[in-house]
Amino acid sequence: MPFTARFWREGLYGLLNLPMALIGFVFAVTGLSVSGGLLVTFVGLPLMAVVLLGLRLFGRLERSRARLLLRHEVAEPEPLRLREGRRGPLAWTGALLRSDVSWRSAAYALLHLPWGVFTFSVVTALWAAGWSMLTYPLWFWTIPAYTDEPGVGINTDGEGGGWIWNGPLEVLMATVLGMLVLVAAVPLFRGMAAVDRALVSGLLGPSAAATRVRQLESDRSVVVDASAADLRRIERDLHDGAQARLVALAMDLGLAKEKLTEDPETAARMVEEAHGEVKLALQELRDLARGIHPAILTDRGLGPALSAVASRCTVPVVVEAELDSRPAEAIEGIAYYTASELLQNVSKHSAARRAQVDVWRAGDRLMLQVTDDGRGGADATAGSGLAGLAERLAAVDGLLAIASPTGGPTTVTAALPWRDRPAS
């Protein structure tokens, strides 16, 4: 509707396009022309660098304007990168001239002027026509009262000829036409604002390559943090579990050795107890090794490994794996870890009666889906383990989709990139 804040903000943005475009265009054309003409002298390159720096600042101003009026968040582009070991004015000049952000800002300043003229003209025409006709009942009487004209109309000759809009029907018709013009302006303003958002994002935001680099850096930090957390977990499990049990076992065997000659029956009982401790320690080490990378996954693949995990779940689980070949070890390991974590959630939180795990290949994706008939309500945004799973999958360009309405059922689908296992 034409009375919303968004309509006014987008209209104001369209009006401001022209003065802002004029400022950017004049600065870009003048600065680049003068500095380009002086390239034969020693001041040409530094002057061009200063012009490009000004255009980068202009781009920052335009991003702020889009953020304020269009509610369009645009990430800051990549900063200037100096060459390794270089400092000083020459290094900054070279960085400004090499940066694609500088030249994209210049392209924005040059291309924005015709678009600014168009948006300014459209907004001015529609607002002037729409609001003047909508408010016509408030001011139409001032024309014959304070001028020599009989009023606004069609084919008026200044002497009362033509169709003068001064009757109730004409006033109502003008109001309706004004409202129609403003209503029609709403989608048009939104369309122009969409083009403005695209221009700002495409030319003043980070490039696709820079965005990809940032994503890879973020993914790398996630992988490093996850690996560090896994190492801490393994160290804690070894220290608190198997290591402590083995220390107690050594002490028991030492005591049994001392008792061997004095009290053989007590020594035999202590050795028997130590034998039980050895079995428990071995079981803990097997569980720890299975949590790191189970042997069955290496030897037999994802389907049998998931069947082994499902057999330890407190809920009956059906596993269906339809894979013609095995993916790369890293992808296979992440899929196994993801399914293990999801089945643990089923055991601990779902109150389900049954669950199912499906694994298949869809094009260049390895798909994993875990469903249960539990109480639902799973949410990755609530700080649960699902958020960690989503981060791990994102680190390898994977996705995690959760459908878990309250009352169930819950369906969690993971999509991992398929990478062929290298030939052995």
Side-chain angles (χ1 to χ4, degrees):
M1 291 298 292
F3 304 106
T4 61
R6 178 179 177 180
F7 178 73
W8 285 97
R9 286 189 283 101
E10 291 176 345
L12 180 59
Y13 192 93
L15 286 177
L16 292 177
N17 270 347
L18 181 57
M20 295 300 298
L22 282 172
I23 294 172
F25 184 85
V26 170
F27 179 78
V29 169
T30 304
L32 293 177
S33 299
V34 172
S35 60
L38 293 175
L39 286 178
V40 294
T41 68
F42 69 94
V43 298
L45 285 178
L47 180 59
M48 183 173 289
V50 171
V51 173
L52 293 176
L53 178 60
L55 290 172
R56 289 173 71 104
L57 296 176
F58 176 74
R60 178 178 297 180
L61 178 61
E62 285 291 87
R63 287 192 298 273
S64 300
R65 186 167 70 97
R67 193 176 301 117
L68 176 65
L69 295 178
L70 298 183
R71 300 294 190 262
H72 182 52
E73 293 294 333
V74 182
E76 293 295 319
E78 56 272 24
L80 285 175
R81 297 184 181 274
L82 302 181
R83 292 191 184 276
E84 189 69 26
R86 300 284 184 88
R87 292 291 185 273
L90 289 179
W92 284 100
T93 299
L96 282 165
L97 294 173
R98 290 191 308 271
S99 174
D100 70 314
V101 177
S102 303
W103 296 107
R104 286 192 286 115
S105 299
Y108 177 87
L110 295 173
L111 297 175
H112 198 228
L113 179 60
W115 178 249
V117 172
F118 174 77
T119 59
F120 179 86
S121 302
V122 170
V123 173
T124 301
L126 292 180
W127 267 0
W131 290 113
S132 63
M133 287 192 292
L134 184 64
T135 59
Y136 186 67
L138 303 178
W139 58 269
F140 78 96
W141 57 271
T142 61
I143 296 178
Y146 297 102
T147 68
D148 295 333
E149 298 292 331
V152 176
I154 299 177
N155 295 327
T156 58
D157 57 7
E159 299 179 357
W163 184 13
I164 308 299
W165 289 12
N166 54 6
L169 181 61
E170 289 87 352
V171 170
L172 177 61
M173 184 177 63
T175 304
V176 172
L177 287 176
M179 177 59 70
L180 291 177
V181 169
L182 292 176
V183 169
V186 173
L188 185 57
F189 284 12
R190 291 189 180 180
M192 293 190 301
V195 175
D196 281 309
R197 292 186 181 96
L199 284 173
V200 173
S201 298
L203 294 176
L204 300 181
S207 64
T211 302
R212 181 59 178 165
V213 169
R214 289 184 182 180
Q215 182 63 41
L216 291 175
E217 291 175 348
S218 175
D219 292 344
R220 182 181 62 183
S221 66
V222 170
V223 172
V224 170
D225 293 342
S227 300
D230 288 340
L231 289 175
R232 289 193 298 269
R233 176 181 59 81
I234 294 170
E235 181 184 10
R236 183 179 65 251
D237 292 343
L238 283 172
H239 184 272
D240 297 341
Q243 181 180 344
R245 196 174 295 279
L246 290 173
V247 169
L249 174 62
M251 296 176 62
D252 291 343
L253 288 176
L255 293 174
K257 181 180 178 181
E258 294 177 358
K259 293 283 186 178
L260 187 62
T261 56
E262 301 175 1
D263 191 353
E265 292 183 359
T266 302
R269 187 176 65 253
M270 295 178 67
V271 170
E272 184 178 358
E273 293 175 353
H275 183 256
E277 290 292 321
V278 169
K279 291 182 177 179
L280 292 175
L282 288 174
Q283 183 61 41
E284 289 184 357
L285 289 174
R286 288 193 193 97
D287 293 340
L288 184 60
R290 188 182 296 113
I292 298 173
H293 195 87
I296 189 174
L297 179 62
T298 303
D299 298 337
R300 301 180 59 190
L302 192 57
L306 293 181
S307 296
V309 173
S311 66
R312 298 192 298 271
C313 187
T314 58
V315 176
V317 181
V318 176
V319 178
E320 293 186 5
E322 300 179 1
L323 296 175
D324 297 332
S325 59
R326 295 179 62 178
E329 293 183 2
I331 300 300
E332 197 173 60
I334 293 174
Y336 173 83
Y337 174 82
T338 301
S340 300
E341 288 291 312
L342 293 175
L343 288 178
Q344 286 184 21
N345 288 343
V346 171
S347 298
K348 294 178 181 178
H349 309 299
S350 69
R353 295 188 300 273
R354 60 181 179 275
Q356 181 166 339
V357 179
D358 295 291
V359 183
W360 71 97
R361 180 178 179 179
D364 60 349
R365 289 280 178 175
L366 173 64
M367 305 299 297
L368 169 70
Q369 188 173 82
V370 178
T371 59
D372 67 74
D373 60 352
R375 59 191 170 200
D379 185 6
T381 62
S384 63
L386 292 174
L389 279 180
E391 290 180 351
R392 289 198 177 204
L393 292 175
V396 293
D397 289 336
L399 298 171
L400 187 72
I402 303 170
S404 183
T406 302
T410 295
T411 301
V412 181
T413 305
L416 288 153
W418 181 275
R419 298 173 188 167
D420 290 322
R421 182 178 290 258
S424 58

